[in-house]
Amino acid sequence: MKFDYSAGFIVYKMVKEKAMFLFLIKQDGTYDVPKGIIEKGESAEDAATRETREEANVSVEKIPFFKRKGRFSFYKRKERHLKELTLFLGRFKRGPVKISYEHKGYKWMAYGEAMEKIGYKDLKEALDSANDYIGKKAEIDKINEDYSGLPKRAKKWNLSRTFVQGIGPVNSRTVFLGQAPGAEEDAQKIPFVGRSGKLLDSLLRRSGIRRDCIYITSVVQFFPPRNRIPSRKEIVLCMPFLLRQLKAINPKYIVFLGNVSASAFFNGHKAVAHHGKVITKDGVTYMFTLHPAAVLRFKKFEVIMLSDLKKFSNIMRNSADL
Ligand code: URA
């Protein structure tokens, strides 16, 4: 058996707010995306970028976090091949589209037409997921633009004016929810990059949860100066934006890191008293654990948080969501 590792891009451009996808037409008339074998020493992303340039003369802006991996087998000259294909999502940056000798044409197609024309099942699933991702990302970008303008519109504003948007795949099944960004997050405009974030990374790794598979954000997405706990009023002001973000992402699991996020959704719930607890309500499973900042303060909490995360990791894995 021969093993092939290939990578490519699902390339799209927005035309009147509608995503149009680029397909190359093979000599046998089937439709495919630019893709090819990953050469020795190349990363999957490098290979996808090179193939897209070579096969279509196109450069793209890679959409972070979107990645589809599929495995399938086929016979070529009586030999069985196992192919692993990694597809990324890329927004068309530069062309013009020029096809190589390998193809006889190309076509930009909207989602509906492409789903009718594509023959490969895996490619159909990848396109479906890409189309969903583009829609969710556009929705999240719109909410974040609105949210980031809140300091200007609010009568009184005692938080930082720097908006720290969530990070991770917008189609993730799992959202981790903290309290509010700290000073380092405020400076870098990225959640959980300070000491708490580094500890969270390590706890996730040790519990088998991949950070690039989860979406991480906080109840309040502006830094409360001197690292104070956001006030009730601030939480109430910010909550509608978080609820809109969650509606767009539509996660199956929400993990509360600490009291602020737990009590924003379940009144009276406390991180220490209810850690490890799991509640399923309206199709969403909520999990309670400590905030990594509490673990930094009290070392003895580390085993507790790690065991909670391992428990959640098992729940997610058992339902094939990890
Ligand atoms: N702590 C939080 O609760 N949120 C962040 O974004 C960073 C640290």
Side-chain angles (χ1 to χ4, degrees), residues 12 14 19 21 63 89 129-139 170:
Y12 76 100
M14 296 306 289
F21 297 92
I63 303 298
L89 179 60
S129 168
N131 192 52
D132 174 66
Y133 201 92
I134 292 166
K136 283 188 167 170
K137 179 147 184 347
E139 183 62 22
V170 291

Side-chain angles (χ1 to χ4, degrees), residues 164 177-182 185 190-194 196-197 217-218 220 257 291:
V164 180
L177 212 46
Q179 169 179 310
E185 287 76 19
I190 304 172
F192 285 99
V193 284
S196 291
T217 191
S218 293
V220 167
L257 301 171
H291 193 288

